[in-house]
Amino acid sequence: MPFGEIVCGSPGSGKSTYCYGKYQLFTALKRPISVVNLDPANDSIPYPCAIDISSLITLQDVMETHGLGPNGGMLYCMEYLEENFDWLEERLKELGNDAYVLFDLPGQVELSTNHESIKKIVDKLGKAGFRLATVHLCDAHYITDASKYVSMLLLSLRAMLHLELPHINVLSKIDLLSQYGELDFNLDFYTEVQDLTYLENALNASLPPKYAALNMAMISLVEDFSLVGFETLAVEDKNSMMHLTRAIDRATGYIFVPPADAPAPPDTIDRSDAAPSARPNMFSLFSTAAGPLKDPGGDVREVQERWIDYRDIYDAHEKKMWRKEGEMVRDEAANLKAGSKVRERKP
């Protein structure tokens, strides 16, 4: 059964960067992954692209042929893809039944919140056998302003209700958040979407008094649904990427089992002669995958320490560890070279 992610978010939220980072991570982990570009305006794709919508249609061609602007042309492209879904389906079948696919959507938010084409395409993917989850990226700097944060909550909620998929909202670029000054509250207030009435003073201070009732109505709307929450992401940090990957796997029910002929990691103990009850099995693997998220980078308080409160200290420690690791690799290479020379001298 193929699995996948619908990667959406506003322009500049880091969708293509996330797809490239995940491609690199999965390649290093020997996990299958393919990236599908569904943005007909994206002409500088950073990742190896398994399927590119530009082979079917491009935004520039639509604008020149039909005299449409960028937004209207993008809607036309998505409607054209919906009508020619068999083109996408045939190419997805070539990836195999064990494929894991990232669908990189355009940045126009109306496509994932209002327009019907993406929703219908997602429905067709589900009928084709795909187990999907939505990964909605939101730039983390929006939490530094109360009105932008509420706007982001409403956008996330609308995408959740529109696409009707297992949904992971993500505060991307969390590693850049310290550049925007101190937060009014701890990071967990924003990720767990706690009592939003604490935002009332900040909202009323930045907007005219006549909007006070509207502000509280929007806050009440988000709290009444009680659906929105956020994971965090620093795409260049391994722990952050691994935590988000596990959260998405839990949402889709995906469990990666290496092929039977895959080489075992170094220093692995051979348990092939153990009793059946003591051998690794699918039940224990599923129990581990479905258990609580206790991996590094999963606690939002640790994320705040790493990227906001003590970033300089963590960065200095990380550079020290990288330097030490580099020295170990260099010494190991030197020892191997010296050993090979000794063997060459032997008669």
Side-chain angles (χ1 to χ4, degrees):
M1 175 183 292
F3 287 74
E5 303 173 23
I6 304 296
V7 183
C8 62
S10 55
S13 58
K15 298 184 296 299
S16 295
T17 303
Y18 166 75
C19 290
Y20 185 36
K22 193 147 193 176
Y23 178 87
Q24 291 177 309
L25 176 67
F26 276 28
T27 301
L29 295 175
K30 309 298 183 184
R31 279 181 58 165
I33 186 168
S34 302
V35 188
V36 175
N37 174 46
L38 295 184
D39 185 355
N42 190 355
D43 54 1
S44 58
I45 302 172
Y47 47 78
C49 193
I51 304 172
D52 190 352
I53 192 177
S54 63
S55 301
L56 176 69
I57 191 171
T58 65
L59 179 62
Q60 188 64 35
D61 290 343
V62 169
M63 292 170 61
E64 293 176 356
T65 303
H66 301 283
L68 297 172
N71 290 333
M74 186 64 71
L75 298 182
Y76 181 94
C77 289
M78 292 300 103
E79 291 171 357
Y80 189 83
L81 176 61
E82 177 195 344
E83 292 297 323
N84 294 273
F85 180 78
D86 55 335
W87 173 88
L88 178 61
E89 186 175 24
E90 289 175 4
R91 281 152 183 78
L92 289 173
K93 287 180 179 178
E94 296 174 0
L95 301 179
N97 291 329
D98 296 328
Y100 191 97
V101 185
L102 304 184
F103 296 91
D104 187 9
L105 295 189
Q108 276 75 356
V109 295
E110 61 266 30
L111 294 174
S112 55
T113 59
N114 300 93
H115 200 253
E116 289 295 317
S117 288
I118 290 295
K119 178 178 173 57
K120 292 178 179 178
I121 292 170
V122 167
D123 291 341
K124 291 179 180 180
L125 288 172
K127 292 177 181 178
F130 271 86
R131 292 284 298 273
L132 298 170
T134 302
V135 179
H136 183 218
L137 299 180
C138 305
D139 199 320
H141 89 268
Y142 287 135
I143 69 176
T144 60
D145 183 275
S147 59
K148 291 180 180 178
Y149 176 59
V150 173
S151 176
M152 184 174 67
L153 291 175
L154 292 171
L155 180 65
S156 300
L157 177 60
R158 187 68 187 92
M160 296 175 76
L161 298 176
H162 183 66
L163 294 178
E164 297 180 321
L165 287 174
H167 197 101
I168 307 292
N169 294 307
V170 183
L171 293 178
S172 63
K173 306 179 186 178
I174 199 71
D175 51 322
L176 303 180
L177 191 57
S178 58
Q179 299 178 5
Y180 299 96
E182 295 185 1
L183 299 174
D184 294 329
F185 306 96
N186 287 335
L187 186 60
D188 59 352
F189 174 87
Y190 302 98
T191 58
E192 298 173 10
V193 192
Q194 298 174 7
D195 189 352
L196 297 179
T197 56
Y198 287 106
L199 294 174
E200 182 177 5
N201 291 335
L203 288 171
N204 292 339
S206 60
L207 295 171
K210 64 180 180 179
Y211 294 112
L214 178 60
N215 291 336
M216 296 311 298
M218 290 189 295
I219 286 174
S220 298
L221 176 65
V222 175
E223 291 185 330
D224 288 345
F225 275 96
S226 190
L227 291 175
V228 185
F230 293 94
E231 299 290 345
T232 59
L233 175 63
V235 75
E236 295 182 355
D237 183 69
K238 178 183 175 181
N239 290 335
S240 180
M241 285 290 287
M242 289 297 294
H243 171 74
L244 180 58
T245 295
R246 189 175 178 203
I248 296 169
D249 288 348
R250 281 162 55 92
T252 59
Y254 182 86
I255 301 176
F256 174 62
V257 181
D261 58 348
D267 302 325
T268 300
I269 299 174
D270 184 8
R271 299 297 304 277
S272 58
D273 58 344
S277 60
R279 296 175 190 168
N281 57 75
M282 291 295 294
F283 177 78
S284 62
L285 181 62
F286 179 79
S287 300
T288 302
L293 290 172
K294 295 183 179 179
D295 43 11
D299 191 331
V300 68
R301 291 169 294 184
E302 295 180 2
V303 175
Q304 175 157 342
E305 286 187 359
R306 172 64 182 91
W307 298 113
I308 301 175
D309 296 339
Y310 305 108
R311 174 170 181 171
D312 293 340
I313 297 175
Y314 274 88
D315 284 347
H317 174 73
E318 196 172 69
K319 289 179 181 178
K320 181 179 178 181
M321 297 304 295
W322 286 347
R323 186 162 53 250
K324 184 177 180 180
E325 183 178 345
E327 291 172 355
M328 291 174 61
V329 172
R330 185 175 64 247
D331 292 343
E332 183 178 351
N335 291 335
L336 290 173
K337 185 176 181 180
S340 64
K341 288 183 177 179
V342 170
R343 287 192 296 271
E344 288 175 359
R345 293 195 190 103
K346 289 183 178 180

